């Protein structure tokens, strides 16, 4: 009989205590890829212990890159021989292979990467990446199983993204830094993690200029050196743990994530009636008088982050009144709603734009808006987690429910959050690991 690890969660009252967040999953893996380009050793500090790091490290080692991981630090350097192919065994594990195309073209003149994967939150097409590399002179074939690329030398060019894609912006950054001439990127994503990557590349010797109106100018250089950096705290984790305190009537103090990464999230919580205390060292949120409804629309930075909406949705269920969530970044982000409905969350999803102006999913069949009724009486349930962020939201719902919950697919949570099991236990949640038959 096949078995899997599950988490059993019993509500144990308000969650209280301190949590330290490390660098984000979204930042650390991209820095690891960028470090491929350095002629010397690079060090990434404040790295989280997440599954994404191990997956990316295994890919890099398969390419001939040296990777050493300690408890909080990752050291990366080029090996004597670079293999230009990411093995097919990594097909569908995450979206990192597509980001390796540019660096491999610089290091080996050719590249092959398998099809990308990641959470099932909606289409994240590779065409932005492919067209950008073609514009820079690469010959690319997209096959059924992967992408093959060749280029004697990438050339700087002018690129305009039709949508500020984080991944495509990162591909262009890591491809343009050693291209011949200047690359001007318009319509770039400007998320903190993207800027953080640009700053790391600058430490390695890249010439990058961040201009107004989502414009990035990169002047190619002959070579990059190794560099060291300290990752800023994960803004997704920070917000999620603030919500963990609020949803259970407690208060969690979050260390390690600067206020400037949470500006929009903090104001959203304040509008709902939360009291948010901020210092240079930590943030905390409490709701002595209860929370009220809100209408929130996700957007690219500096808007309300799409990864914040999963914990927010659960918080809506414990807020007084009818709340509205309009997702504009991924068309299938609400894939986690059925699991929450099973736990008693009163949520209805719609294929129209609610809570904000019409977005790019207007007049499609994408269920990208939700109406949430609070206060919902949550109950424990046996649920399977479809992705990383949905997994965390289910833990939040289980912490506020009546009765025991069994969460399946917990590997998703551990792929993206630093030691979430231990963090929740430290806040007072009664949580245990067990093996159960696969259902």
């Amino acid at each position: 009989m096949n078995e899997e690890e599950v988490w059993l969660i019993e509500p144990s009252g308000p969650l209280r205590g301190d949590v330290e967040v490390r660098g984000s999953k979204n930042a650390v893996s991209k820095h690891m890829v960028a470090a491929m380009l350095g002629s010397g050793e690079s060090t990434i500090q404040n790295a989280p212990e997440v599954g994404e790091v191990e997956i990316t490290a295994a890919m890099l080692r398969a390419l001939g890159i040296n990777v050493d991981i300690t408890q909080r630090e990752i050291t990366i350097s080029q090996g004597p021989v670079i293999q230009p192919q990411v093995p097919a065994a990594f097909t569908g594990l995450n979206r990192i292979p597509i980001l390796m195309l540019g660096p491999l073209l610089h290091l080996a003149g050719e590249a092959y990467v398998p099809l990308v994967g990641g959470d099932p939150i909606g289409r994240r097409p590779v065409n932005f990446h492919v067209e950008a590399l073609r514009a820079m002179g690469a010959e690319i074939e997209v096959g059924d199983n992967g992408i093959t690329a060749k280029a004697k030398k990438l050339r700087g060019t002018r690129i305009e993204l039709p949508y500020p894609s984080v991944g495509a912006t990162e591909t262009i950054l890591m491809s343009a830094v050693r291209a011949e001439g200047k690359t001007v990127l318009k319509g770039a994503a400007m998320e903190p993690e993207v800027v953080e990557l640009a700053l790391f590349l600058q430490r390695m010797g890249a010439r990058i200029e961040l201009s107004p109106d989502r414009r990035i100018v990169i002047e190619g250089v002959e070579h990059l050196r190794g560099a060291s950096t300290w990752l800023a705290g994960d803004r997704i984790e920070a917000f999620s743990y603030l919500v963990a305190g609020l949803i259970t009537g407690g208060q969690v103090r979050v260390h390690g994530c600067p206020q400037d990464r949470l500006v929009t999230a903090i104001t959203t919580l304040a509008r709902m009636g939360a009291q948010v205390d901020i210092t240079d060292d930590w943030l905390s949120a409490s709701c002595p008088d209860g929370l009220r409804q809100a209408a929130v629309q996700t957007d690219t930075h500096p808007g309300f982050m799409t990864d914040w909406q999963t914990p927010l949705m659960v918080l809506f269920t414990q807020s007084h009144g009818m709340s509205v969530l309009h997702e504009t970044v991924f068309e299938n982000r609400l894939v986690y709603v059925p699991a929450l409905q099973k736990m008693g969350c009163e949520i209805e999803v719609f294929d129209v734009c609610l809570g904000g102006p019409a977005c790019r999913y207007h007049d499609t069949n994408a269920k990208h808006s939700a109406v949430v009724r609070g206060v919902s009486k949550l109950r424990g349930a046996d649920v399977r987690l479809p992705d990383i962020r949905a997994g965390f939201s289910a833990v939040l719902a289980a912490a506020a429910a009546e009765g025991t919950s069994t969460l399946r697919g917990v590997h998703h949570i551990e792929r993206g959050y630093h030691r979430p099991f231990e963090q929740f236990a430290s806040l007072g949640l009664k949580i245990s690991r067990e093996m159960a038959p696969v259902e």
Side-chain angles (χ1 to χ4, degrees):
M1 180 183 294
N2 292 330
E3 290 189 322
E4 63 178 332
E5 181 181 294
V6 300
W7 288 1
L8 296 183
I9 296 176
E10 294 184 33
S12 44
L15 298 184
R16 301 183 186 278
D18 292 77
V19 166
E20 180 188 3
V21 297
R22 295 194 188 179
S24 74
K25 169 192 79 76
N26 291 340
V28 66
S29 51
K30 316 301 177 56
H31 279 63
M32 292 171 73
V33 175
M36 293 171 61
L37 292 166
S39 57
E41 189 175 270
S42 288
T43 303
I44 304 165
Q45 301 175 66
N46 201 34
E49 295 177 42
V50 294
E52 194 82 346
V53 167
E54 295 296 338
I55 295 171
T56 306
M59 284 186 209
L60 291 173
R61 290 176 181 132
L63 297 174
I65 303 295
N66 301 316
V67 183
D68 182 54
I69 302 173
T70 61
Q71 189 178 28
R72 203 176 190 119
E73 187 173 284
I74 303 170
T75 303
I76 295 174
S77 61
Q78 294 177 6
V81 179
I82 302 298
Q83 302 293 335
Q85 294 188 337
V86 176
F90 295 103
T91 299
L93 293 185
N94 62 16
R95 296 192 57 79
I96 296 304
I98 190 71
L99 298 174
M100 294 178 169
L101 280 174
L104 283 175
L105 289 175
H106 287 306
L107 297 176
E110 60 179 316
Y112 172 82
V113 300
L115 293 179
V116 297
D119 294 331
I121 56 177
R123 291 180 301 110
R124 291 185 281 184
V126 300
N127 58 304
F128 291 176
H129 303 253
V130 169
E131 292 307 317
L133 287 167
R134 282 177 175 157
M136 298 175 78
E139 298 177 17
I140 298 182
E141 292 184 11
V142 181
D144 293 335
N145 299 314
I147 302 171
T148 303
K150 293 182 179 179
K152 290 183 178 179
K153 183 72 176 178
L154 293 179
R155 301 183 303 272
T157 187
R158 298 179 69 86
I159 300 171
E160 183 165 1
L161 291 175
Y163 182 80
S165 160
V166 169
T169 300
E170 291 165 337
T171 280
I172 294 165
L173 276 172
M174 290 190 279
S175 303
V177 288
R178 282 191 53 189
E180 187 178 277
K182 180 187 294 185
T183 298
V184 178
L185 170 60
K186 293 183 177 180
M190 299 301 288
E191 271 69 6
E193 294 81 11
V194 173
V195 175
E196 195 171 25
L197 177 64
L199 297 179
F200 180 56
L201 289 165
Q202 188 178 59
R203 290 188 182 196
M204 297 173 70
R207 297 177 183 173
I208 300 173
E209 180 181 330
L210 304 177
S211 302
D213 300 325
R214 296 190 177 276
R215 184 169 171 267
I216 301 177
V217 179
I218 308 110
E219 296 177 27
V221 296
E222 282 294 320
H223 73 277
L224 297 175
R225 56 185 177 269
S228 178
T229 191
W230 177 279
L231 296 178
D234 189 332
R235 59 194 176 121
I236 304 170
E237 278 200 35
F239 178 73
S240 300
Y241 283 115
L242 289 176
V243 170
L246 289 172
I247 203 168
T248 58
Q251 183 173 7
V252 175
R253 192 158 54 180
V254 177
H255 303 255
C257 184
Q259 174 189 358
D260 61 2
R261 292 197 158 210
L262 291 162
V263 172
T264 306
I266 290 169
T267 296
T268 299
L269 293 179
R271 285 175 178 155
M272 293 176 67
Q275 177 181 316
V276 183
D277 296 313
I278 305 167
T279 74
D280 291 339
D281 299 317
W282 52 263
L283 304 94
S284 71
S286 59
C287 52
D289 301 318
L291 295 170
R292 52 182 174 268
Q293 78 279 6
V296 174
Q297 173 174 292
T298 67
D299 208 341
T300 55
H301 187 76
F304 192 90
M305 187 183 190
T306 180
D307 286 309
W308 286 334
Q309 63 103 324
T310 37
L312 182 71
M313 188 82 83
V314 185
L315 189 62
F316 279 166
T317 71
Q318 301 305 294
S319 305
H320 294 274
M322 303 291 283
S323 294
V324 178
L325 189 288
H326 181 205
E327 168 64 37
T328 74
V329 180
F330 292 117
E331 78 271 33
N332 200 31
R333 184 101 235 191
L334 304 184
V335 65
Y336 63 93
V337 167
L340 294 182
Q341 290 171 328
K342 191 175 180 181
M343 301 178 79
C345 295
E346 299 178 69
I347 304 172
E348 293 293 334
V349 295
F350 300 90
D351 60 3
V352 295
C353 300
L354 302 175
C359 72
R360 60 193 180 130
Y361 301 123
H362 180 61
D363 286 339
T364 72
N365 293 319
K367 302 283 189 181
H368 66 292
S369 290
V371 175
V372 186
R373 180 184 178 185
V375 174
S376 299
K377 186 176 182 180
L378 305 187
R379 57 183 178 271
D382 187 326
V383 297
R384 179 164 296 281
L385 316 177
D387 61 63
I388 293 172
R389 309 307 171 191
F392 201 99
S393 71
V395 177
L396 296 178
E402 289 187 5
T404 303
S405 292
T406 301
L407 304 187
R408 302 174 183 273
V410 294
H411 64 280
H412 287 301
I413 309 177
E414 294 177 315
R415 183 164 75 87
Y417 290 87
H418 173 74
R419 294 187 170 275
F421 184 92
E422 292 81 359
Q423 298 273 46
F424 273 111
S426 74
L427 297 175
L429 183 63
K430 192 172 181 181
I431 182 171
S432 61
R433 301 180 191 266
E434 291 195 11
M435 299 303 295
V438 175
E439 293 186 357

